[in-house]
């Protein structure tokens, strides 16, 4: 796998699982899922019995991820390569998924990118790239999938927000702006889509150890700050996000809408 091994079990005993959390047989689309957090979330949904469509722009990377997961979960792993920032590509991609795999029950808007630079040195191109990747993509894919969920009267949309939806550090102001916008898009989607039977919620990861944060994890001074600032005393591992996703993707959250569930080891709760 291209991400740390998840800590949750690969199989579950149905006698210990409440039926409200059952999502076996559902079809899920996870954007940006060829690696990192997206791949871990896809794996968690597969463990729960879903058929999962992996998405990204690089067909080769998607196929590599599919092959790794298919070794464990067989033909329940599918792929759909399209650019989530391109409205036409999104429309065609979602239509193809629903035709070839089935109606999308669960959408996870995970695609995101980070770029660190002082605000006074941040370029226009980098600003627009972050805005398109982190925020516009969730609007485009969320809108397209919701248009198909609405006539069916049900659906779950989970936007992957961030600790930086609430707090920020120097050098990431544009990133925080996109994640703050995604928080409010989540609430706005709830307002419009809730009456149609669709729940839209968000997950806000704190500091997680992934290949994208490997340089920060390796920076002992910064890593010590994260451990000291987090009541849990450690970096998050990608498997820590799966439980929150299963909750928000399942009937257990049918009366939960427009909420952001922070999975941050308690960082936001303390000074």
């Amino acid at each position: 796998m291209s991400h740390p091994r998840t800590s949750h079990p690969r199989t579950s005993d149905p006698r210990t699982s409440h039926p409200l959390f059952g999502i076996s047989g559902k079809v899920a689309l996870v954007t940006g899922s060829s690696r990192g957090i997206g791949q871990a979330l896809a794996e968690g949904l597969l463990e729960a019995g879903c058929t999962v469509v992996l998405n990204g722009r690089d067909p080769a990377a998607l196929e590599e991820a599919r092959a790794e997961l298919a070794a464990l979960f067989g033909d329940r792993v599918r792929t759909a390569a399209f650019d989530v920032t391109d409205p036409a590509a999104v429309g065609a991609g979602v239509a193809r998924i629903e035709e070839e795999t089935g109606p999308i029950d669960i959408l996870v808007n995970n695609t995101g990118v980070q770029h660190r630079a002082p605000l006074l040195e941040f370029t226009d191109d980098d600003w627009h790239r972050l805005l398109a990747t982190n925020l516009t993509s969730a609007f485009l894919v969320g809108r397209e999938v919701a248009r198909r969920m609405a006539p069916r009267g049900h659906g779950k949309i989970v936007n992957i927000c961030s600790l930086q939806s609430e707090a920020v550090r120097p050098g990431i102001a544009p990133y925080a702006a996109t994640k703050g916008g995604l928080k409010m898009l989540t609430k706005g989607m709830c307002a419009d889509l809730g009456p149609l039977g669709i729940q839209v919620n968000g997950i806000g990861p704190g500091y997680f150890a992934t290949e994208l944060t490997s340089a920060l994890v390796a920076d002992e001074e910064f890593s010590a700050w994260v451990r000291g600032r987090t009541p849990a005393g450690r970096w998050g591992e990608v498997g820590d996000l799966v439980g929150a996703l299963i909750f928000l993707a399942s009937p257990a959250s049918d009366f939960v809408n427009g909420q952001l569930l922070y999975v941050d080891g308690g960082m936001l709760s303390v000074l």
Side-chain angles (χ1 to χ4, degrees), residues 85 111-117 122-137 171-179:
T85 69
T111 299
V113 66
Q114 173 66 287
H115 182 81
R116 294 178 175 84
F122 220 92
T123 68
D124 293 351
D125 285 346
D126 285 329
W127 164 263
H128 289 295
R129 179 171 61 94
L130 260 64
L131 190 63
T133 305
N134 297 353
L135 184 56
T136 301
S137 68
I172 58 169
Y175 177 82
T178 65
K179 290 299 186 177

Side-chain angles (χ1 to χ4, degrees), residues 149-150 152-156 190 192-200 254 257:
M149 289 176 168
R152 300 192 284 260
H154 63 84
K156 300 283 186 175
C190 159
D192 280 346
L193 302 179
L196 305 176
I198 302 168
Q199 289 82 54
V200 187
D254 278 356
N257 214 345

Side-chain angles (χ1 to χ4, degrees), residues 42-98:
E43 183 177 354
L45 291 170
L46 287 161
E47 290 172 335
C50 293
T51 294
V52 177
V53 181
L54 307 177
N55 162 263
R57 290 187 298 180
D58 183 347
L62 278 180
E63 175 53 28
E64 182 179 353
R66 187 207 63 79
E68 291 176 349
L69 291 171
L72 297 169
F73 304 105
D75 64 2
R76 288 192 290 113
V77 190
R78 313 289 175 85
T79 62
F82 60 88
D83 183 350
V84 292
T85 69
D86 180 336
V90 168
V94 170
R96 188 167 59 252
I97 292 168
E98 294 230 337

